[in-house]
Amino acid sequence: MKLINVVGARPNFMKIAPLMSELNSHKDIETILLHTGQHYDEKMSNLFFEELGIPKPNINLGIGSNSQAKQVASIMEKFDDVTDSIKPDAILVVGDVNSTMACSLVAVKKGIKIIHLEAGLRSFDRTMPEEINRIVTDSIADLLFVPSRDAIDNLKKEGIDESKIFLVGNIMIDTLFHFMDKIDNSKILNDYNLGNKGFGLVTLHRPSNVDDPVILENIIKSLVDISNDIRLIFPIHPRTRKNIQTFGLTHLLNSNNLILTEPLGYLDFQKLMVNSKFVITDSGGVQEETTALKIPCITMRENTERPITAIEGTNEVIGRNTYKMKELANDAINGIWKDSIIPQYWDGKTAKRVVKTIKSHFGLI
Ligand code: UD1
Ligand code: UDP
């Protein structure tokens, strides 16, 4: 069986790492790793390959940044040529970024099977580019691997045949558990003189939070306010950095207790998460990792496609309510947080389940 694994943006790399490693011991599947180049900065791409031991991609489409439509179009055009020359039996796409949907659209038009890992998540907010990517990809996928039961219900409601859906757990948690010793060895706490549980971690990049100058200014002012009570460390995503500069908000971030950094590598970022008092975020993956690590998570979004992190995990989804953000940060500082459990199958064995199901589906076992 010839399989192309597709990655493109930061959250894809921690999802593909355990799969590449598991597939390595199944020689009856010829695996080709393709990077679309949607993310390309050293700290948004290469660094993760080095840290997580992901093999160098066999192909890099090098598409870079552009408008939503142009980015999707150029991925499709280039991926079309690649599939002509490689002739894969199937492609495997992860998550919900533009690369996920663009490659899936190319595959379905050519009768190439599509395997979607992290299927079935829905925010029910079609203003999110990712929601469109999720709906389109799932509607044309042949095998849908879901991380939690809610995702099965979402897919069934959209008329997807239950025989295509497999509950395999959360692939990101495979990576988190696998790299725990290396995470432990990170020196980032010393680098920034941070004590265990003496700080909060911040990450923001959703267009709904960072593309509007008034909203972004309001969030930044609230972060500075919280930083009067506890130190905050904020590794800034390139979209957010660009907008802070364009909107002339840089001066607002001038606070001794607010540490600003470039995007961080996986090991350093997880080390901060494990040792933080709380995390303020709008990231999808971070909502899941905080649940797996039982770290209080304050999500600045009106909705989440990962409701299990709020129902069973440590996540509080609070919209853009900055008063609530401050209140919850105070609760976390005082050690007050809801009880939580780690969802079913978020156990570090998802890659094994995925590969076993692929082999059985494609008649290899
Ligand atoms: C993308 C995904 C989003 C995911 C996020 C993870 C889509 C629609 N969005 O959002 O789901 O949560 O990645 O981080 O696929 N840029 C750089 N260097 C890079 C990459 C981006 O400077 O290596 C800047 C460019 O100015 C670019 C902007 O960031 O225009 C946004 O990048 P893009 O990939 O379009 O979307 P993200 O916001 O990163
Ligand atoms: N992450 C990281 N360094 C950072 C910020 C995030 O390694 O500076 C990790 C994070 O722990 C998670 C993944 O990147 O594993 C999530 O990616 P991102 O937030 O960019 O995308 P999303 O999950 O929102 O699509």
Side-chain angles (χ1 to χ4, degrees), residues 23 228 236 279 292 320:
L23 282 164
N228 292 322
I236 307 185
V279 178
R320 279 195 292 272

PDB file of all heavy atoms in Angstrom, residues 23 228 236 279 292 320:
ATOM      1  N   LEU A  23       4.311   3.731  11.784  1.00  0.00           N
ATOM      2  CA  LEU A  23       4.317   3.201  10.413  1.00  0.00           C
ATOM      3  C   LEU A  23       5.679   2.645  10.028  1.00  0.00           C
ATOM      4  O   LEU A  23       5.792   1.765   9.174  1.00  0.00           O
ATOM      5  CB  LEU A  23       3.901   4.300   9.417  1.00  0.00           C
ATOM      6  CG  LEU A  23       2.391   4.576   9.369  1.00  0.00           C
ATOM      7  CD1 LEU A  23       2.106   5.909   8.667  1.00  0.00           C
ATOM      8  CD2 LEU A  23       1.640   3.444   8.666  1.00  0.00           C
ATOM      9  N   ASN A 228      -0.087  41.842  36.774  1.00  0.00           N
ATOM     10  CA  ASN A 228       0.207  42.498  38.058  1.00  0.00           C
ATOM     11  C   ASN A 228       0.097  41.508  39.215  1.00  0.00           C
ATOM     12  O   ASN A 228       0.672  41.718  40.281  1.00  0.00           O
ATOM     13  CB  ASN A 228      -0.761  43.670  38.307  1.00  0.00           C
ATOM     14  CG  ASN A 228      -0.507  44.788  37.315  1.00  0.00           C
ATOM     15  OD1 ASN A 228       0.642  45.064  36.969  1.00  0.00           O
ATOM     16  ND2 ASN A 228      -1.574  45.416  36.828  1.00  0.00           N
ATOM     17  N   ILE A 236       4.614  34.362  21.076  1.00  0.00           N
ATOM     18  CA  ILE A 236       3.680  35.014  20.143  1.00  0.00           C
ATOM     19  C   ILE A 236       3.708  34.371  18.744  1.00  0.00           C
ATOM     20  O   ILE A 236       4.752  34.308  18.097  1.00  0.00           O
ATOM     21  CB  ILE A 236       3.974  36.524  20.050  1.00  0.00           C
ATOM     22  CG1 ILE A 236       4.003  37.143  21.461  1.00  0.00           C
ATOM     23  CG2 ILE A 236       2.926  37.226  19.211  1.00  0.00           C
ATOM     24  CD1 ILE A 236       4.169  38.646  21.473  1.00  0.00           C
ATOM     25  N   VAL A 279      -3.293  28.254  31.958  1.00  0.00           N
ATOM     26  CA  VAL A 279      -3.002  28.639  30.570  1.00  0.00           C
ATOM     27  C   VAL A 279      -4.178  29.456  30.039  1.00  0.00           C
ATOM     28  O   VAL A 279      -5.337  29.103  30.276  1.00  0.00           O
ATOM     29  CB  VAL A 279      -2.791  27.382  29.694  1.00  0.00           C
ATOM     30  CG1 VAL A 279      -2.549  27.771  28.242  1.00  0.00           C
ATOM     31  CG2 VAL A 279      -1.631  26.548  30.212  1.00  0.00           C
ATOM     32  N   ALA A 292      -5.188  16.833  29.333  1.00  0.00           N
ATOM     33  CA  ALA A 292      -4.397  15.619  29.592  1.00  0.00           C
ATOM     34  C   ALA A 292      -3.446  15.821  30.775  1.00  0.00           C
ATOM     35  O   ALA A 292      -3.137  14.874  31.496  1.00  0.00           O
ATOM     36  CB  ALA A 292      -3.612  15.236  28.347  1.00  0.00           C
ATOM     37  N   ARG A 320     -15.120  36.198  24.893  1.00  0.00           N
ATOM     38  CA  ARG A 320     -14.091  37.248  25.009  1.00  0.00           C
ATOM     39  C   ARG A 320     -14.282  38.035  26.292  1.00  0.00           C
ATOM     40  O   ARG A 320     -13.945  39.215  26.364  1.00  0.00           O
ATOM     41  CB  ARG A 320     -14.162  38.162  23.797  1.00  0.00           C
ATOM     42  CG  ARG A 320     -13.453  37.561  22.599  1.00  0.00           C
ATOM     43  CD  ARG A 320     -13.200  38.579  21.540  1.00  0.00           C
ATOM     44  NE  ARG A 320     -14.422  39.039  20.911  1.00  0.00           N
ATOM     45  CZ  ARG A 320     -14.989  38.448  19.851  1.00  0.00           C
ATOM     46  NH1 ARG A 320     -14.429  37.399  19.315  1.00  0.00           N
ATOM     47  NH2 ARG A 320     -16.098  38.917  19.327  1.00  0.00           N
TER      48      ARG A 320
END
